[in-house]
Amino acid sequence: SAGRRPVVGGLARLGQRLLAYRQGPITPAATAALETDLHRLLREIGRVILQWTLNHLEADDPRQAPAEVGFEHGLYRRRPASPRRGGIATRFGVITLARLRYEPCDAGIGLPCIFPLEQRLGIVAGKATPALAGRVGAWTAQHPQATVQRLLAEEHGVAWSVTTLRHVAAELSAGARVLTHAAQVAALLELLGKAHAGRGP
């Protein structure tokens, strides 16, 4: 299949690189170069596999998907699949993602379109997979924006503007606030339950 060919090609390049290393003089510099090349090749193979997998989660024939869906008290109608502009950043690099679009039936009230596949995958700010967004969240808590941009480029082959980085960080922060509030409510209810069950003042 079309998705298998890039993976096979990547594995062939990987085998050739290993063979070249074994046939040459084994030195610290050669070993460091091998490790760097392996990381790059394996990241590319992972990117191709992830891209193929995510792009085959929805039916090839859009008519097999529901014609209309309900979401947050609104009704949305199916439209053709379209690629996410700029792609989706992952830990393996940027992938293309084509997904079905659903637009609001009542377009006059200003509701945005929804993309059920992106919702199911947990895509953050329309830009990043949850795994990469988790790294971004940890980095933004420890480093300035320029350092986070450099880490994204060096470790994941992702080139983001400061605006994109801020959008992803803001959505992560909003999601964390919801989780924090839910955890606080659960803890309070547990304490109230213990107080109610206990004896004495």
Side-chain angles (χ1 to χ4, degrees):
S1 70
R4 188 180 304 152
R5 283 194 293 272
V7 174
V8 172
L11 291 174
R13 289 191 297 275
L14 186 63
Q16 291 165 357
R17 183 63 183 88
L18 291 173
L19 183 61
Y21 171 74
R22 287 172 60 87
Q23 291 177 340
I26 307 301
T27 65
T31 304
L34 172 69
E35 187 173 350
T36 299
D37 289 346
L38 283 179
H39 181 263
R40 178 181 52 80
L41 287 167
L42 290 170
R43 191 173 75 188
E44 176 58 17
I45 290 169
R47 189 191 68 79
V48 170
I49 292 171
L50 184 64
Q51 178 173 273
W52 185 91
T53 301
L54 299 188
N55 278 287
H56 286 80
L57 292 174
E58 291 184 322
D60 290 335
D61 183 357
R63 292 172 298 182
Q64 294 178 351
E68 293 181 340
V69 297
F71 178 69
E72 292 185 350
H73 310 296
L75 189 63
Y76 294 75
R77 67 171 64 91
R78 186 188 67 231
R79 288 295 180 250
S82 60
R84 166 58 73 176
R85 186 179 305 150
I88 299 293
T90 77
R91 291 188 66 159
F92 300 103
V94 177
I95 64 171
T96 59
L97 181 67
R99 67 279 191 263
L100 290 174
R101 174 172 58 94
Y102 283 80
E103 68 179 20
C105 292
D106 189 355
I109 59 176
L111 291 173
C113 293
I114 62 171
F115 302 90
L117 178 60
E118 288 191 9
Q119 293 172 342
R120 289 166 51 207
L121 295 175
I123 301 301
V124 178
K127 292 292 183 183
T129 58
L132 184 71
R135 299 212 83 186
V136 170
W139 283 338
T140 53
Q142 303 170 33
H143 305 292
Q145 291 176 345
T147 302
V148 176
Q149 288 177 296
R150 180 178 55 78
L151 288 169
L152 281 168
E154 290 176 356
E155 297 200 18
H156 303 292
V158 171
W160 275 354
S161 66
V162 169
T163 301
T164 298
L165 182 58
R166 286 178 178 166
H167 285 162
V168 171
E171 189 162 311
L172 283 171
S173 177
R177 278 197 299 273
V178 171
L179 292 174
T180 301
H181 177 71
Q184 289 171 340
V185 169
L188 179 60
L189 290 174
E190 182 182 354
L191 289 173
L192 288 172
K194 287 179 180 177
H196 181 71
R199 295 185 178 184

